[in-house]
Amino acid sequence: IALTATIGLDICAATKPQPLAVSLYFHLHANSLLLASAAGDARFSVPYVDFLAGIIELARPGAAFVSGRAFAQAVSRVALSQGRDAVEELRVVVNARKALGCARAQDGIEWEVTTRGEEQEAGYAARGLALGIKIGMSAAERAVKQLVIVAISFKEEPNVTDTEPYAPIVDSVAQVCRGATLTSTGRVADKAACLCRRWRRRRSAR
């Protein structure tokens, strides 16, 4: 779903609407799938027509969210307001190409919220980070920086309610990696992951 909404700071550190791509992934209970296919009855499936207007309404002029995560949570609530009994798990992904941090992340910033019953898990990713890093086994290889494309993603512990500003974390990791001299792309990944795990509340960093 292509939308324009205010989700915190944009690439220029301004609070204004920015283009978003919203994806919803529904995993239905096995019984719901069987009933929907056998009976041909939409009541056992996901009534997407009913909640689509509600999701578009979230992006109405004047509406604002503190972050992409808060917007993804709001989308989840709207999507699960209809046909919740049929849904085992819902994953909402919000991709922003003009969000704070996108100056580094060429493929955008993503917020992900997964809901399973009463449990909700959040994630954040910066994709397509273009970093100049001295990398190689020999001194000749390490004489000139090479362009390395990196993606960094975080998964939080379930049901964490407060948010953490991820853009400074990604900037810090990018700075350290740019100043490092490493032997291989595998060492770049190890270095970035090790730095990411220093922050609290991370169940995993990749």
Side-chain angles (χ1 to χ4, degrees):
I1 306 169
L3 298 170
T4 300
T6 301
I7 56 163
L9 300 179
D10 67 3
I11 197 170
C12 299
T15 305
K16 60 183 182 181
Q18 53 183 289
L20 307 173
V22 180
S23 301
L24 295 90
Y25 302 87
F26 290 91
H27 299 269
L28 304 186
H29 290 289
N31 288 343
S32 298
L33 286 171
L34 291 172
L35 287 168
S37 60
D41 192 331
R43 290 177 301 172
F44 299 113
S45 185
V46 177
Y48 65 90
V49 174
D50 295 336
F51 64 73
L52 186 57
I55 292 174
I56 294 172
E57 175 64 16
L58 291 174
R60 66 189 181 280
F65 296 85
V66 295
S67 66
R69 170 184 167 165
F71 183 72
Q73 289 173 325
V75 170
S76 297
R77 287 192 294 271
V78 171
L80 290 171
S81 65
Q82 303 285 337
R84 187 185 185 106
D85 292 342
V87 180
E88 182 174 9
E89 176 183 295
L90 168 64
R91 184 164 62 97
V92 174
V93 180
V94 176
N95 181 280
R97 296 297 182 100
K98 299 293 183 181
L100 185 68
C102 283
R104 296 189 190 280
Q106 300 174 347
D107 295 329
I109 301 297
E110 283 186 358
W111 293 267
E112 181 178 314
V113 170
T114 301
T115 305
R116 302 179 199 89
E118 299 302 316
E119 184 177 282
Q120 192 170 79
E121 185 180 278
Y124 173 96
R127 305 200 179 280
L129 292 162
L131 306 178
I133 302 174
K134 289 184 178 180
I135 184 171
M137 297 296 292
S138 68
E141 288 177 316
R142 298 191 297 269
V144 179
K145 287 187 175 182
Q146 300 183 48
L147 181 64
V148 181
I149 306 300
V150 178
I152 298 175
S153 62
F154 299 90
K155 290 287 187 185
E156 292 188 351
E157 294 287 352
N159 297 332
V160 171
T161 55
D162 56 329
T163 60
E164 183 156 16
Y166 283 100
I169 297 175
V170 172
D171 281 345
S172 177
V173 173
Q175 268 190 335
V176 172
C177 287
R178 281 205 314 269
T181 300
L182 302 166
T183 56
S184 66
T185 53
R187 292 294 300 141
V188 175
D190 288 343
K191 182 82 170 177
C194 182
L195 291 166
C196 289
R197 293 190 189 106
R198 292 180 182 178
W199 276 269
R200 62 190 180 89
R201 298 203 325 266
R202 302 293 74 74
R203 190 179 76 177
S204 65
R206 201 158 57 109

